[in-house]
Each structure stands twice: as C-alpha cells, then as structure tokens.
Amino acid sequence: MKSIFFSSSTTFRSFLPLHSSSLPLDSPSSVSIKPRQAPCPVKVRASLEPSPNLMASVDISVSPRVSAVKPSKTMAITDQATALVQAGVPIIRLAAGEPDFDTPSVIAEAGINAIREGYTRYTPNAGTLELRKAICHKLEEENGLNYKPNEILVSNGAKQCIVQVVHAVCSPGDEVIIPAPFWVSYPEMARLADAKPIIIPTDISDNFLLKPESLAAKVNEKTRLLILCSPSNPTGSVYHKELLEEIADIVRKHPRLLVLSDEIYEHIIYPPAKHTSFASLPGMFERTFTVNGFSKAFAMTGWRLGYLAGPEHFVAACGKIQSQFTSGASSISQKAGLAALGMGYAGGEVVSNMVKAFQERRDFLVKSFKELDGVKISEPQGAFYLFIDFSSYYGTEVEGFGVINNSESLCSFLLDKAQVALVPGDAFGDDKCVRISYAASLSTLKDAVKNIKEALLILRRPLPV
C-alpha cells in the first residue's frame, strides 16, 4: 500500500498545488502603453512584486472578530485529502458530510428546464412565492407546523439561514448555548456576531443528548439562543419527543431564550426513531427558528438551497440581512427545490431508498467497530455519521510517527497508515472521538474499515492499571 507520512502539525497548505502563471515569477515583464494624447509609446516597467516601501505602508490587519474565528477543520481535511488524491495517493475520503448519490433525475431535469426556459433572473429576496408556498405545505403536512409564506426565508443553503438568525437576534455579550458534540460552525457563527458560545458537554453513555438539568444550570439573563440539531451532526443522535418537551419546559421559563432547531437531516432517520420539530411543542412556535434545506436528503449539496421558518418579525430581520449580503437564492436551484418537494411525503421512494442504503452502511460500521476492544460507540439513529470514542488508543507510540495523544494525531496517523481521511473530534467539541462519514459506498467503507483495523494493530495500547 502506497504511503505518505506527515505529522499532525503539517499544514494543509503544503499539500495544495501551486498556481501556474504564463509569466515567470522571478522576472518582471515590460509592457507598452500608448496614452491617448502621447506622441509616442511610453515604456512602463510593471513589477509582479509590490515594492517594500508600499508593503510597509499597508495595514494588513484583519477584524478582531475574524481573527477569533477558527477555520472549518472539516473543510480543511477534505481539501487536504483531495490534494493527496490529485497527487496520486489513494486516499479514502470519509470526512465531508456529502451524500454520494446523484441528485434525483426529476430534480436535475427541473433545473435544466429552468435554464432552457430562461428562468435565470433574480427572484424576490425571500424566495419565489411558489417555493415558499410549497415549503409551507411541506411543514404543515410533515411537521405539523402552520406557517405563512411571509414566515419563510429561502437562502443559499441552511448554513446561511443559521448565520442570519444568530446575527438577527444576538447582541454583543449575549450567550448562545450549544450542546457538544456540535457542528463545527455553530460556535464560530456566535463569535462572528460578538456573542459568546456556551458549550455544554454531553456523554456517549447518554447517546450524546443534552440533559435538561445541564441546560437549566447554564441559562441566565444573558442567554439568547439555544441551538439544537436533530438528527445530529456529528453523532447521528435523535432527540425523542419526551426529552424535547423537558427542554421546552426550561425554555418556557426564560422570556429572552429562543431556540434554533437545525433539522437538515430530518429525513435521514432510522426506525424506530422519529423526528419531532421543536416548534411543534406547546408554546415553542413563537420562540423557534426551524432551519432545513435540500442538501442532505435530496443529495443537492452543490445547488446551495436552504430555508428558514419562524415568527414573521424575526424572519423579516433575517431577510434584511440577506438583502444586503447575498440577495435571493439561485432561481434555477429554487425550481429544482420545488421539484424536490413535489416528490412526495419525505421525498418519496427515491429518498427512502437512499436512507435504506445509509442504514445498511451504518449497520456494517457499527458491527465492525464493535469488534475492536476499547472502542465506545453510540449507535446513530439518523444522519450519516458515526462518532466513535477511540480514546483508549491515546498515549500509545508509533515508531517514526510519535505519540497518539489526541483525536487530531490519531486522524493524522490513520491518514498516513490507513490512507483514510476522517475528522478529529476536537473540531466538534469532543477530543475523545473521531467522526466517520458513511456517505460513501458500502464497498468503499469495507476497504476503509480493513485499513483502519490494520493500522490500529500497529498501536501499542497501554496495559490497564
């Protein structure tokens, strides 16, 4: 097996290809410019490098709030793995949260027809009326939520919806409660809004679900927003209705506390688990932002289409931000989204078949990793991630590599020795674990498991004391 070594401190940039140029970087060029009133050509020497004096006069600092934001480790590792593949290294990429299925043909055809029919102009900032009506119908039929079109905002992906909610409701100094493990972007979104992320750890023995008493202990007069994600990225955990009702009882006691319910993985759920929208609980409709989209269930990641449902005045505030930020979503994508919602309840048979494939992959991974001593697993009930506790391997040493002392060094080791790209759990707020995306074919996953098991045999696990 071809191998490439790098340490956990290796920068991602070092693996990226250099950009080429038609001009050599070590020699300037001469160009002729003919001024409008000049009697003859004037030779101007154009340097590709700014002069030292010019560089010294430029303030290259960036905003402190941007400096405080961490880059997405998921995207960085995905880019790193892609660069290695392009360099000829056979990396198995299980880092990105992107379905391996093609966009269903009925959706793709709707997008193609939109182009052919000239539906290529700006749409209303909040989204087309026909799509917002279709979203309202979906939310009523599938989630028991009664929204009007002016309570819906269509955006360039669910991620944009979440950013706009945080900016619309949080003031500097406000606190945003985020259960860990969390999606990597939540804390950084809070920081960008000058709010403070308050992380509440959860435990694998509780299936990584937030305990109501832990929430109650953290809520205070500064708490503005609670972010819940069910089914969860990165754990695949699903909040059952009874637990959500206990959380709602706590929320109800605090007038300033709002809830953002990230339901992007709603349709990727495995029986007997059932999805409950937080806004459907008594008294929570006026407090909840329901965020959803088309990327995951409909395999439409590149179409960049998501939506927000919530109280009209809050949605209008988010729309105001969007109007000055990106304006409305792609007209073509909105036509495709309309076709997706027309496929039937929960996406119909096409989505159901994708979910069955995800469940088969989940079952294979859970069974395979349970065979390893010292590994802890919470079986996912939804989404397409397995968040595994490999911490029993920490403290071991590999000749020529060093000590495996955290999730990042373990992922670096597995990328080097197993040639499998995974995401370290510290990116999600739990350094004991590693996230595996099973949005890949079963044959690919079988190869990955084989490689990982062989690599782990190299580790000298310390004897229990």
Side-chain angles (χ1 to χ4, degrees), residues 92-162:
I92 299 175
R93 291 173 282 184
L94 302 180
E98 182 170 37
D100 57 313
F101 300 102
D102 291 331
T103 300
S105 59
V106 65
I107 300 174
E109 285 297 322
I112 293 169
N113 290 336
I115 297 172
R116 287 174 175 162
E117 295 168 6
Y119 197 79
T120 55
R121 301 184 183 278
Y122 293 134
T123 71
N125 178 64
T128 64
L129 181 59
E130 63 176 349
L131 179 56
R132 285 182 286 138
K133 285 182 175 180
I135 291 170
C136 289
H137 176 74
K138 179 265 178 216
L139 290 170
E140 182 174 10
E141 182 182 35
E142 297 180 4
N143 306 88
L145 299 172
N146 186 15
Y147 287 101
K148 301 184 293 294
N150 59 358
E151 295 173 312
I152 305 295
L153 177 65
V154 178
S155 299
N156 300 278
K159 195 171 193 175
Q160 181 178 353
C161 293
I162 299 171

Side-chain angles (χ1 to χ4, degrees), residues 45-69:
R45 188 171 180 82
S47 173
L48 295 179
E49 297 291 338
S51 69
N53 291 337
L54 179 61
M55 286 296 292
S57 65
V58 176
D59 181 354
I60 62 171
S61 63
V62 297
S63 164
R65 68 168 60 133
V66 174
S67 297
V69 172

